[in-house]
Amino acid sequence: VRIALRERDVSRVFEFTDRVRALDATSRSDPAPEVAELLARYRLQRRAEEQSGGDADAVATAETERELRDLIRTSGGPKGTAIEPAGLPVLERALDGASLVMFFESGDGTHVASLDVRGVSTRPVAATAQLEREAAKLRMRVVAALASPGEARRHFPAVRSMAARLDGLLFGGAQLSAHEVVLIPPAGIYGVPWLLLPSLAEQRVVINASPSGWHAARVRSRGRNSRAVYVAGPEPPHAVDEVKALAGHDEAAIALTGEAATSEAVLRSMDDSHRLHLATHGYARVDNPLFSNLQMSDGPLTLYEMQSVEPPSEVVLSACSVGRARTYRGGLAVGLPAALLAGGSRSVVAAEIPVPDESTREVMTVFYEHLRRGLTVPAALASTASLLLEEDPLSGLTAAAFSAYGA
C-alpha cells in the first residue's frame, strides 16, 4: 500500500487495502460435544452469579471460561477465511450511484480511498493519533449525555461541536456524491455516532470492514422466509413490552419472552427466520470476543454458539454496547455484528456504546415504523435518527448511537 501511495497508483491503493481488510471475522463451526458440555456449565455458573448479585463462585466461572477458551483453540474453533476480492469494476456496478468511503492507515497517518460515480480517489486525512483522540472525545461526551438522561440537552451543543470537528478531519468538507454511503471506518476508532457527523447526516450509512465484505453481504439472499422472531431477555424491564408491541404488528411473528427465551430457543429461531430482534442486555468482550454474549433466561448466549447456526438476513440487537468489536491490524473486526455477517446475515443493527433502556425502546418503535413503510435497514435507521434528533436530544443521541452493519 505504501508503494502504491508513493507512486500515486490510486487503483492499486484501493485494491491492496481492500484485499488486506477483506477477511471474514469467522466461519461457521459446529461446537464439539465436549465444548457444548462446558458451555452449558458456563451458562449455569454465569446465571448463578447474576442471580446472587455476584456472591456466587466467580473463580469457578473464570476457570470454566479458561477451559473453554483452551478447548476451543485445540478443537479447531472458528477461523478467519478470506473473502474473494470483488475488484473495482464489480464494486462500481454494485454501488449503483452510492459512495464507498474507506479509511486506512499508512505509517503514522490515516488516508481515505473513495469510490463513486466520479471514479476512485485517495487522499491523506490526518495523523492517526489525532483522529483517535477526537473520536474518543466525541464518544465520551455522548456516553456522558446518555448516562444522565436529564443532562442530555445540556451536553447536546458540545456533542454537535465535537462531531463537526471530527467530520472536518475525516471528510475535510468534501461533498459526498450520493445519499447512500458505504463506510469502512478507521481501524482504531469505535463508538462513533456516525449519523451525528454533518457529512453523514440524513445519509443512508452502512458500515463494513471492507468493500468486498460489503459486496458479499449485498449479494446475499434477503432471507429464506418472511418470518420474524422477537426475543425479550430478562433485562431491561421494558423488554417484554417492547417485544410484544413489535410482534403485534405481524401476525406471523414469534415472540419469545420469560422462561421461553432460552439460548437454545434463540439458536433454533436464528436458523429459520428472516429477521431476529433481541431486546436484552449484552456484553462485548474485547479481551475475548468469542465470549461476547447476550443475556437469555437461562444465562448468556455466547458469540461462539451463534457461529454454529446460519443467522437470519436481518438482526437487530436492541442492547447496550454489543456492537463493540476488537479490531486487529489491517481492519479485521471480531465481535457480534462481524460474526453475524460472516455467518450469512445481510444487515445487523447494533450500538457500540451504552444506551438508555427507555429511549432505546422509543428508537426501536420509530425504526420499525420506517421498516414497515418499506425502507431498507440503513434508510430506516437514518430516518429514525434524523427525526428524533429534531424532537429530543436524548432520543436522537440514542438513535445515533446505533449503526447499520453489512449492506
Side-chain angles (χ1 to χ4, degrees):
V1 173
R2 288 185 184 180
I3 294 173
L5 276 174
R6 190 164 58 244
E7 295 178 351
R8 298 183 181 180
D9 190 332
V10 178
S11 295
R12 288 176 65 206
V13 168
F14 192 95
E15 291 178 348
F16 288 168
T17 305
D18 181 31
R19 188 177 293 274
V20 169
R21 300 195 66 157
L23 188 70
D24 251 338
T26 54
S27 55
R28 286 176 59 196
S29 174
D30 295 327
E34 56 268 33
V35 174
E37 291 176 11
L38 273 178
L39 281 167
R41 186 207 304 172
Y42 177 72
R43 185 175 293 115
L44 287 172
Q45 290 172 328
R46 284 290 307 273
R47 188 183 187 193
E49 275 191 57
E50 291 159 10
Q51 292 177 337
S52 68
D55 293 334
D57 192 349
V59 175
T61 306
E63 177 61 23
T64 301
E65 183 174 311
R66 185 192 63 75
E67 289 181 51
L68 261 173
R69 186 176 62 246
D70 293 343
L71 187 56
I72 289 169
R73 282 201 194 105
T74 58
S75 65
K79 295 178 175 65
T81 55
I83 297 173
E84 185 67 26
L88 275 173
V90 172
L91 290 169
E92 285 177 312
R93 289 193 298 271
L95 283 169
D96 192 26
S99 293
L100 193 153
V101 182
M102 174 171 59
F103 293 93
F104 62 95
E105 294 178 25
S106 182
D108 295 330
T110 293
H111 300 250
V112 62
S114 302
L115 178 64
D116 54 32
V117 293
R118 297 167 294 191
V120 62
S121 62
T122 185
R123 64 175 177 84
V125 173
T128 299
Q130 181 185 11
L131 276 179
E132 292 178 354
R133 283 195 302 272
E134 294 300 329
K137 289 177 185 177
L138 174 60
R139 180 179 66 250
M140 289 187 289
R141 181 56 71 104
V142 173
V143 168
L146 295 178
S148 303
E151 297 293 307
R153 192 173 298 277
R154 180 176 65 83
H155 286 285
F156 198 58
V159 166
R160 285 293 204 192
S161 175
M162 292 176 178
R165 189 155 59 245
L166 180 61
D167 184 83
L169 288 173
L170 289 171
F171 296 99
Q175 293 295 312
L176 296 171
S177 66
H179 292 295
E180 182 172 351
V181 178
V182 180
L183 178 66
I184 318 298
I189 288 180
Y190 73 93
V192 172
W194 295 105
L195 295 176
L196 285 178
L197 273 57
S199 294
L200 300 177
E202 301 185 20
Q203 296 271 20
R204 301 188 298 273
V205 179
V206 64
I207 295 173
N208 213 301
S210 72
S212 291
W214 165 78
H215 182 261
R218 186 181 185 278
V219 298
R220 285 174 189 146
S221 166
R222 290 186 178 272
R224 291 144 292 190
N225 56 51
S226 60
R227 190 180 72 170
V229 179
Y230 299 86
V231 182
E235 295 287 342
H238 75 262
V240 172
D241 291 338
E242 176 181 318
V243 160
K244 288 183 176 179
L246 295 176
H249 291 279
D250 182 358
E251 292 182 358
I254 293 176
L256 297 176
T257 63
E259 291 302 312
T262 64
S263 299
E264 183 180 355
V266 172
L267 289 173
R268 283 199 307 269
S269 70
M270 287 177 69
D271 224 6
D272 188 31
S273 60
H274 163 68
R275 177 184 295 145
L276 176 65
H277 178 95
L278 290 152
T280 184
H281 281 170
Y283 301 93
R285 290 284 301 273
V286 179
D287 64 317
N288 194 342
L290 287 178
F291 286 90
S292 296
N293 61 79
L294 298 167
Q295 295 302 299
M296 297 296 111
S297 64
D298 59 340
L301 172 62
T302 65
L303 170 55
Y304 178 76
E305 293 168 282
M306 293 182 206
Q307 293 167 358
S308 67
V309 299
E310 184 178 352
S313 176
E314 296 176 5
V315 181
V316 179
L317 301 171
S318 178
C320 285
S321 305
V322 294
R324 178 76 189 277
R326 180 173 181 177
T327 304
Y328 296 90
R329 181 173 294 277
L332 172 63
V334 179
L336 284 169
L340 289 165
L341 293 171
S345 290
R346 179 185 172 93
S347 299
V348 178
V349 173
E352 285 192 90
I353 59 176
V355 287
D357 294 336
E358 284 302 322
S359 56
T360 296
R361 181 182 177 185
E362 181 183 359
V363 167
M364 290 299 151
T365 298
V366 177
F367 171 67
Y368 275 92
E369 287 175 358
H370 288 302
L371 285 181
R372 288 193 293 273
R373 292 174 189 165
L375 272 65
T376 63
V377 169
L381 188 60
S383 296
T384 299
S386 177
L387 176 66
L388 294 180
L389 282 167
E390 291 292 328
E391 295 182 351
D392 173 57
L394 176 62
S395 299
L397 290 176
T398 302
F402 284 87
S403 294
Y405 299 86

